[in-house]
């Protein structure tokens, strides 16, 4: 969950964190083999697999992107084609992947709309903005940074020019950023509970649960992302259900039907998460990660992906129709049709070549469908 990063003096926090919540990251800083240590002057050394396997994989790996041809805009968003940067604050921002924040921000908006209690007052707008900062820059930034940390071996194959495998940022700087973003997100969650007058700190516990889910998604020994089904569903829940719940809890009450409906929407999130797995097939296969494109092959995985997205939205439209929300059901159906068109036009033709075009074309209709569903449940 997911812009200032609220980077405060957390070097001390990283060094003296209580054992009650200390990620196994710290054990890497002293006892990791020399090949896995980072510094600002030496590129990260790939791969855990045998050296012969790594060498075999190199011909298919992307070459390091030349700094001159990279885009400064892409660098700030944390997406492919980024310019090689030396400014540490721009590198920190790149690690948080701001391009991934909008779905979380939108999820908070949907939750606030679904509560039926949001009003366009200064206080309610301020509360929602703080909740969006918690979900987006802080906790999504934490999620993306910790994911890049544990994905450094894969990125050394798929995207060796990224900040960690290229050595553009040091190990201690990455770990400090992880702690600062995590603590900032949890702190804002606690603040929102106090502000909303909650007897039970539900937003804080949602933030804790989301942070824990992000950790076990990326980190061994569980590393949920190793399993294409579980990992992508967890990712979908993090991007759709959790921010929605936070927004709704901030202004109203979470009800069982909303929990079921948003969990169902997380299946569509699973499909969206699969879209990003196609570009990482080479690295996933080399390191033994069972993403769905690796496990089923590209052709089958494409249809699993679009099926999860489309069937979920049709099911939600059916649910809205069954509860007497005819116009909302028709609106959601109307927003699903262009997504299907773009799936055939781009994604099903070549999910690697057209992934950016497909997501830019289809996902706006998906997120509008989320808002339609939220408004339907508020009435």
């Amino acid at each position: 969950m997911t812009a200032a990063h609220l980077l405060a003096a957390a070097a001390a926090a990283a060094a003296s964190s209580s054992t009650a919540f200390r990620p196994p990251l710290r054990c890497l800083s002293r006892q990791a083999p020399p090949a896995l240590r980072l510094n600002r002057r030496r590129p990260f050394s790939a791969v855990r697999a045998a050296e012969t396997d790594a060498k075999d994989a190199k011909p298919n790996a992307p070459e390091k992107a030349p700094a001159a041809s990279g885009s400064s805009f892409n660098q700030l968003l944390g997406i492919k084609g980024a310019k090689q940067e030396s400014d540490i604050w721009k590198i920190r921002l790149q690690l948080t992947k701001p391009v991934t924040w909008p779905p979380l921000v939108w999820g908070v908006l949907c939750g606030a709309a679904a509560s039926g209690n949001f009003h366009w007052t200064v206080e309610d707008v301020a509360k929602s903005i703080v909740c969006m900062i918690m979900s987006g820059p802080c906790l999504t930034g934490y999620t993306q940074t910790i994911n890049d940390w544990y994905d450094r071996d894969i990125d050394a194959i798929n995207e060796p020019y990224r900040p960690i495998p290229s050595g553009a940022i040091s190990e201690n700087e990455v770990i400090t950023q992880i702690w600062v973003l995590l603590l900032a997100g949890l702190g804002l969650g606690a603040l929102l509970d106090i502000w909303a007058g909650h007897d039970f700190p539900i937003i804080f516990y949602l933030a804790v649960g989301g942070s824990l889910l992000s950790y076990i998604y990326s980190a061994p020994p569980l590393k949920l992302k190793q399993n294409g089904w579980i990992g992508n569903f967890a990712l979908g829940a993090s991007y759709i259900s959790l921010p929605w719940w936070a927004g709704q809890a901030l202004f109203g009450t979470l009800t069982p039907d909303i929990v079921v409906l948003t969990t169902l929407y997380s299946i569509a999130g699973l499909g969206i998460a699969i879209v990003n797995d196609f570009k990482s097939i080479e690295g996933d296969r080399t390191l033994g990660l069972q993403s769905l494109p690796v496990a089923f092959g590209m052709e089958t995985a494409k249809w699993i992906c679009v099926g999860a997205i489309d069937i979920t939205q049709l099911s939600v439209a059916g649910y809205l129709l069954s509860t007497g929300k005819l116009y909302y059901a028709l609106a959601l159906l109307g927003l699903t049709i262009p997504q299907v068109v773009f799936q055939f036009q781009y994604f099903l033709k070549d999910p690697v070549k057209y992934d950016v075009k497909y997501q830019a074309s289809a996902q706006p209709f998906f997120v509008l469908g989320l808002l339609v569903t939220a408004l339907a449940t508020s009435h």
Side-chain angles (χ1 to χ4, degrees), residues 321-348:
L321 183 61
S322 70
T323 57
K325 309 289 177 61
L326 172 62
Y327 295 113
Y328 289 103
L330 290 175
L332 182 56
L333 183 61
L335 289 167
T336 304
I337 292 171
Q339 295 176 63
V340 175
V341 171
F342 288 124
Q343 286 163 2
F344 279 94
Q345 184 176 351
Y346 294 123
F347 183 74
L348 292 171

mmCIF file of all heavy atoms in Angstrom, residues 321-348:
data_model
loop_
_atom_site.group_PDB
_atom_site.id
_atom_site.type_symbol
_atom_site.label_atom_id
_atom_site.label_comp_id
_atom_site.label_asym_id
_atom_site.label_seq_id
_atom_site.Cartn_x
_atom_site.Cartn_y
_atom_site.Cartn_z
ATOM 1 N N LEU A 321 -26.568 -6.386 -9.693
ATOM 2 C CA LEU A 321 -27.886 -6.581 -10.304
ATOM 3 C C LEU A 321 -28.811 -7.329 -9.351
ATOM 4 O O LEU A 321 -29.998 -6.992 -9.212
ATOM 5 C CB LEU A 321 -27.734 -7.347 -11.618
ATOM 6 C CG LEU A 321 -29.008 -7.572 -12.441
ATOM 7 C CD1 LEU A 321 -29.613 -6.229 -12.860
ATOM 8 C CD2 LEU A 321 -28.702 -8.436 -13.661
ATOM 9 N N SER A 322 -28.284 -8.327 -8.659
ATOM 10 C CA SER A 322 -29.103 -9.131 -7.739
ATOM 11 C C SER A 322 -29.558 -8.338 -6.518
ATOM 12 O O SER A 322 -30.542 -8.704 -5.862
ATOM 13 C CB SER A 322 -28.313 -10.362 -7.275
ATOM 14 O OG SER A 322 -27.257 -9.993 -6.409
ATOM 15 N N THR A 323 -28.849 -7.249 -6.217
ATOM 16 C CA THR A 323 -29.242 -6.417 -5.070
ATOM 17 C C THR A 323 -30.051 -5.197 -5.499
ATOM 18 O O THR A 323 -30.236 -4.260 -4.728
ATOM 19 C CB THR A 323 -27.988 -5.961 -4.295
ATOM 20 O OG1 THR A 323 -27.098 -5.261 -5.194
ATOM 21 C CG2 THR A 323 -27.264 -7.137 -3.687
ATOM 22 N N GLY A 324 -30.501 -5.195 -6.764
ATOM 23 C CA GLY A 324 -31.359 -4.122 -7.233
ATOM 24 C C GLY A 324 -30.626 -2.890 -7.729
ATOM 25 O O GLY A 324 -31.251 -1.840 -7.943
ATOM 26 N N LYS A 325 -29.333 -2.989 -7.953
ATOM 27 C CA LYS A 325 -28.559 -1.827 -8.428
ATOM 28 C C LYS A 325 -28.351 -1.948 -9.944
ATOM 29 O O LYS A 325 -27.233 -2.115 -10.423
ATOM 30 C CB LYS A 325 -27.204 -1.793 -7.709
ATOM 31 C CG LYS A 325 -27.290 -1.891 -6.190
ATOM 32 C CD LYS A 325 -27.843 -0.625 -5.581
ATOM 33 C CE LYS A 325 -28.013 -0.738 -4.077
ATOM 34 N NZ LYS A 325 -26.785 -0.992 -3.360
ATOM 35 N N LEU A 326 -29.448 -1.882 -10.682
ATOM 36 C CA LEU A 326 -29.417 -2.130 -12.124
ATOM 37 C C LEU A 326 -28.478 -1.174 -12.852
ATOM 38 O O LEU A 326 -27.649 -1.596 -13.660
ATOM 39 C CB LEU A 326 -30.833 -2.010 -12.706
ATOM 40 C CG LEU A 326 -30.946 -2.056 -14.236
ATOM 41 C CD1 LEU A 326 -30.450 -3.403 -14.764
ATOM 42 C CD2 LEU A 326 -32.384 -1.787 -14.686
ATOM 43 N N TYR A 327 -28.612 0.120 -12.585
ATOM 44 C CA TYR A 327 -27.822 1.099 -13.332
ATOM 45 C C TYR A 327 -26.333 0.990 -13.016
ATOM 46 O O TYR A 327 -25.488 1.173 -13.890
ATOM 47 C CB TYR A 327 -28.343 2.512 -13.054
ATOM 48 C CG TYR A 327 -29.747 2.729 -13.570
ATOM 49 C CD1 TYR A 327 -30.815 2.928 -12.698
ATOM 50 C CD2 TYR A 327 -30.005 2.699 -14.942
ATOM 51 C CE1 TYR A 327 -32.105 3.107 -13.178
ATOM 52 C CE2 TYR A 327 -31.294 2.875 -15.429
ATOM 53 C CZ TYR A 327 -32.342 3.070 -14.543
ATOM 54 O OH TYR A 327 -33.618 3.234 -15.028
ATOM 55 N N TYR A 328 -26.026 0.688 -11.785
ATOM 56 C CA TYR A 328 -24.617 0.493 -11.418
ATOM 57 C C TYR A 328 -24.067 -0.766 -12.096
ATOM 58 O O TYR A 328 -22.916 -0.782 -12.553
ATOM 59 C CB TYR A 328 -24.466 0.372 -9.900
ATOM 60 C CG TYR A 328 -24.687 1.679 -9.168
ATOM 61 C CD1 TYR A 328 -25.873 1.923 -8.494
ATOM 62 C CD2 TYR A 328 -23.704 2.667 -9.163
ATOM 63 C CE1 TYR A 328 -26.084 3.116 -7.818
ATOM 64 C CE2 TYR A 328 -23.901 3.866 -8.485
ATOM 65 C CZ TYR A 328 -25.089 4.082 -7.820
ATOM 66 O OH TYR A 328 -25.277 5.280 -7.169
ATOM 67 N N ALA A 329 -24.883 -1.810 -12.144
ATOM 68 C CA ALA A 329 -24.452 -3.048 -12.806
ATOM 69 C C ALA A 329 -24.199 -2.805 -14.289
ATOM 70 O O ALA A 329 -23.200 -3.279 -14.853
ATOM 71 C CB ALA A 329 -25.503 -4.139 -12.612
ATOM 72 N N LEU A 330 -25.092 -2.033 -14.940
ATOM 73 C CA LEU A 330 -24.907 -1.732 -16.359
ATOM 74 C C LEU A 330 -23.672 -0.855 -16.584
ATOM 75 O O LEU A 330 -22.943 -1.028 -17.569
ATOM 76 C CB LEU A 330 -26.159 -1.037 -16.907
ATOM 77 C CG LEU A 330 -27.414 -1.906 -17.028
ATOM 78 C CD1 LEU A 330 -28.612 -1.062 -17.462
ATOM 79 C CD2 LEU A 330 -27.190 -3.064 -18.006
ATOM 80 N N ALA A 331 -23.434 0.084 -15.670
ATOM 81 C CA ALA A 331 -22.246 0.938 -15.791
ATOM 82 C C ALA A 331 -20.968 0.114 -15.670
ATOM 83 O O ALA A 331 -20.015 0.298 -16.439
ATOM 84 C CB ALA A 331 -22.280 2.021 -14.710
ATOM 85 N N LEU A 332 -20.951 -0.821 -14.718
ATOM 86 C CA LEU A 332 -19.772 -1.676 -14.562
ATOM 87 C C LEU A 332 -19.578 -2.562 -15.789
ATOM 88 O O LEU A 332 -18.445 -2.751 -16.259
ATOM 89 C CB LEU A 332 -19.924 -2.544 -13.305
ATOM 90 C CG LEU A 332 -18.737 -3.458 -12.971
ATOM 91 C CD1 LEU A 332 -17.443 -2.670 -12.836
ATOM 92 C CD2 LEU A 332 -19.020 -4.248 -11.690
ATOM 93 N N LEU A 333 -20.661 -3.083 -16.327
ATOM 94 C CA LEU A 333 -20.581 -3.894 -17.541
ATOM 95 C C LEU A 333 -20.030 -3.052 -18.700
ATOM 96 O O LEU A 333 -19.179 -3.507 -19.478
ATOM 97 C CB LEU A 333 -21.963 -4.445 -17.889
ATOM 98 C CG LEU A 333 -22.037 -5.372 -19.109
ATOM 99 C CD1 LEU A 333 -21.180 -6.620 -18.895
ATOM 100 C CD2 LEU A 333 -23.494 -5.761 -19.398
ATOM 101 N N GLY A 334 -20.506 -1.817 -18.816
ATOM 102 C CA GLY A 334 -20.028 -0.935 -19.870
ATOM 103 C C GLY A 334 -18.552 -0.616 -19.745
ATOM 104 O O GLY A 334 -17.851 -0.452 -20.756
ATOM 105 N N LEU A 335 -18.026 -0.554 -18.509
ATOM 106 C CA LEU A 335 -16.604 -0.290 -18.294
ATOM 107 C C LEU A 335 -15.747 -1.536 -18.517
ATOM 108 O O LEU A 335 -14.545 -1.431 -18.737
ATOM 109 C CB LEU A 335 -16.385 0.241 -16.869
ATOM 110 C CG LEU A 335 -16.898 1.660 -16.610
ATOM 111 C CD1 LEU A 335 -16.921 1.957 -15.113
ATOM 112 C CD2 LEU A 335 -16.053 2.686 -17.351
ATOM 113 N N THR A 336 -16.375 -2.707 -18.467
ATOM 114 C CA THR A 336 -15.635 -3.950 -18.698
ATOM 115 C C THR A 336 -15.400 -4.195 -20.192
ATOM 116 O O THR A 336 -14.357 -4.731 -20.583
ATOM 117 C CB THR A 336 -16.400 -5.151 -18.094
ATOM 118 O OG1 THR A 336 -16.629 -4.905 -16.703
ATOM 119 C CG2 THR A 336 -15.611 -6.446 -18.246
ATOM 120 N N ILE A 337 -16.342 -3.779 -21.025
ATOM 121 C CA ILE A 337 -16.245 -4.044 -22.470
ATOM 122 C C ILE A 337 -14.975 -3.467 -23.098
ATOM 123 O O ILE A 337 -14.258 -4.180 -23.816
ATOM 124 C CB ILE A 337 -17.511 -3.544 -23.188
ATOM 125 C CG1 ILE A 337 -18.716 -4.406 -22.771
ATOM 126 C CG2 ILE A 337 -17.333 -3.576 -24.699
ATOM 127 C CD1 ILE A 337 -20.058 -3.873 -23.253
ATOM 128 N N PRO A 338 -14.625 -2.189 -22.871
ATOM 129 C CA PRO A 338 -13.381 -1.694 -23.478
ATOM 130 C C PRO A 338 -12.139 -2.404 -22.970
ATOM 131 O O PRO A 338 -11.142 -2.523 -23.701
ATOM 132 C CB PRO A 338 -13.370 -0.209 -23.108
ATOM 133 C CG PRO A 338 -14.353 -0.047 -22.016
ATOM 134 C CD PRO A 338 -15.378 -1.107 -22.208
ATOM 135 N N GLN A 339 -12.169 -2.912 -21.751
ATOM 136 C CA GLN A 339 -11.028 -3.679 -21.253
ATOM 137 C C GLN A 339 -10.824 -4.944 -22.079
ATOM 138 O O GLN A 339 -9.692 -5.297 -22.411
ATOM 139 C CB GLN A 339 -11.248 -4.047 -19.778
ATOM 140 C CG GLN A 339 -11.284 -2.861 -18.840
ATOM 141 C CD GLN A 339 -11.597 -3.275 -17.420
ATOM 142 O OE1 GLN A 339 -10.847 -4.017 -16.795
ATOM 143 N NE2 GLN A 339 -12.718 -2.802 -16.882
ATOM 144 N N VAL A 340 -11.916 -5.607 -22.408
ATOM 145 C CA VAL A 340 -11.836 -6.815 -23.238
ATOM 146 C C VAL A 340 -11.278 -6.461 -24.618
ATOM 147 O O VAL A 340 -10.440 -7.188 -25.181
ATOM 148 C CB VAL A 340 -13.216 -7.483 -23.349
ATOM 149 C CG1 VAL A 340 -13.151 -8.673 -24.303
ATOM 150 C CG2 VAL A 340 -13.709 -7.931 -21.972
ATOM 151 N N VAL A 341 -11.726 -5.341 -25.163
ATOM 152 C CA VAL A 341 -11.236 -4.904 -26.477
ATOM 153 C C VAL A 341 -9.721 -4.695 -26.442
ATOM 154 O O VAL A 341 -8.992 -5.165 -27.323
ATOM 155 C CB VAL A 341 -11.944 -3.600 -26.913
ATOM 156 C CG1 VAL A 341 -11.285 -3.028 -28.166
ATOM 157 C CG2 VAL A 341 -13.428 -3.851 -27.155
ATOM 158 N N PHE A 342 -9.233 -4.007 -25.409
ATOM 159 C CA PHE A 342 -7.793 -3.747 -25.310
ATOM 160 C C PHE A 342 -6.998 -5.026 -25.022
ATOM 161 O O PHE A 342 -5.833 -5.138 -25.396
ATOM 162 C CB PHE A 342 -7.514 -2.694 -24.242
ATOM 163 C CG PHE A 342 -7.937 -1.313 -24.647
ATOM 164 C CD1 PHE A 342 -8.825 -0.579 -23.864
ATOM 165 C CD2 PHE A 342 -7.453 -0.735 -25.820
ATOM 166 C CE1 PHE A 342 -9.224 0.695 -24.241
ATOM 167 C CE2 PHE A 342 -7.844 0.533 -26.203
ATOM 168 C CZ PHE A 342 -8.731 1.254 -25.414
ATOM 169 N N GLN A 343 -7.627 -5.981 -24.363
ATOM 170 C CA GLN A 343 -6.956 -7.262 -24.145
ATOM 171 C C GLN A 343 -6.654 -7.944 -25.469
ATOM 172 O O GLN A 343 -5.553 -8.468 -25.676
ATOM 173 C CB GLN A 343 -7.818 -8.151 -23.250
ATOM 174 C CG GLN A 343 -7.812 -7.732 -21.785
ATOM 175 C CD GLN A 343 -8.958 -8.344 -20.996
ATOM 176 O OE1 GLN A 343 -9.758 -9.121 -21.529
ATOM 177 N NE2 GLN A 343 -9.059 -7.983 -19.727
ATOM 178 N N PHE A 344 -7.626 -7.937 -26.360
ATOM 179 C CA PHE A 344 -7.401 -8.555 -27.669
ATOM 180 C C PHE A 344 -6.487 -7.695 -28.544
ATOM 181 O O PHE A 344 -5.694 -8.222 -29.325
ATOM 182 C CB PHE A 344 -8.748 -8.790 -28.371
ATOM 183 C CG PHE A 344 -9.452 -10.030 -27.906
ATOM 184 C CD1 PHE A 344 -10.406 -9.971 -26.894
ATOM 185 C CD2 PHE A 344 -9.159 -11.271 -28.468
ATOM 186 C CE1 PHE A 344 -11.049 -11.115 -26.454
ATOM 187 C CE2 PHE A 344 -9.805 -12.420 -28.042
ATOM 188 C CZ PHE A 344 -10.754 -12.344 -27.033
ATOM 189 N N GLN A 345 -6.586 -6.402 -28.424
ATOM 190 C CA GLN A 345 -5.797 -5.509 -29.259
ATOM 191 C C GLN A 345 -4.321 -5.506 -28.879
ATOM 192 O O GLN A 345 -3.446 -5.423 -29.750
ATOM 193 C CB GLN A 345 -6.356 -4.083 -29.160
ATOM 194 C CG GLN A 345 -5.652 -3.091 -30.086
ATOM 195 C CD GLN A 345 -6.297 -1.713 -30.030
ATOM 196 O OE1 GLN A 345 -7.359 -1.536 -29.437
ATOM 197 N NE2 GLN A 345 -5.670 -0.735 -30.650
ATOM 198 N N TYR A 346 -4.035 -5.618 -27.578
ATOM 199 C CA TYR A 346 -2.649 -5.511 -27.124
ATOM 200 C C TYR A 346 -2.167 -6.764 -26.384
ATOM 201 O O TYR A 346 -1.280 -7.473 -26.836
ATOM 202 C CB TYR A 346 -2.490 -4.295 -26.198
ATOM 203 C CG TYR A 346 -2.694 -2.968 -26.872
ATOM 204 C CD1 TYR A 346 -3.654 -2.078 -26.400
ATOM 205 C CD2 TYR A 346 -1.942 -2.600 -27.985
ATOM 206 C CE1 TYR A 346 -3.856 -0.846 -27.009
ATOM 207 C CE2 TYR A 346 -2.128 -1.372 -28.603
ATOM 208 C CZ TYR A 346 -3.089 -0.497 -28.103
ATOM 209 O OH TYR A 346 -3.275 0.706 -28.707
ATOM 210 N N PHE A 347 -2.771 -7.029 -25.244
ATOM 211 C CA PHE A 347 -2.203 -7.998 -24.313
ATOM 212 C C PHE A 347 -2.129 -9.409 -24.884
ATOM 213 O O PHE A 347 -1.091 -10.078 -24.785
ATOM 214 C CB PHE A 347 -3.016 -8.004 -23.017
ATOM 215 C CG PHE A 347 -2.463 -8.916 -21.970
ATOM 216 C CD1 PHE A 347 -1.312 -8.594 -21.271
ATOM 217 C CD2 PHE A 347 -3.089 -10.120 -21.683
ATOM 218 C CE1 PHE A 347 -0.794 -9.439 -20.308
ATOM 219 C CE2 PHE A 347 -2.584 -10.972 -20.719
ATOM 220 C CZ PHE A 347 -1.429 -10.631 -20.034
ATOM 221 N N LEU A 348 -3.210 -9.880 -25.476
ATOM 222 C CA LEU A 348 -3.217 -11.250 -25.977
ATOM 223 C C LEU A 348 -2.324 -11.436 -27.203
ATOM 224 O O LEU A 348 -1.910 -12.548 -27.507
ATOM 225 C CB LEU A 348 -4.653 -11.687 -26.287
ATOM 226 C CG LEU A 348 -5.559 -11.850 -25.060
ATOM 227 C CD1 LEU A 348 -6.999 -12.076 -25.470
ATOM 228 C CD2 LEU A 348 -5.068 -12.993 -24.170
#
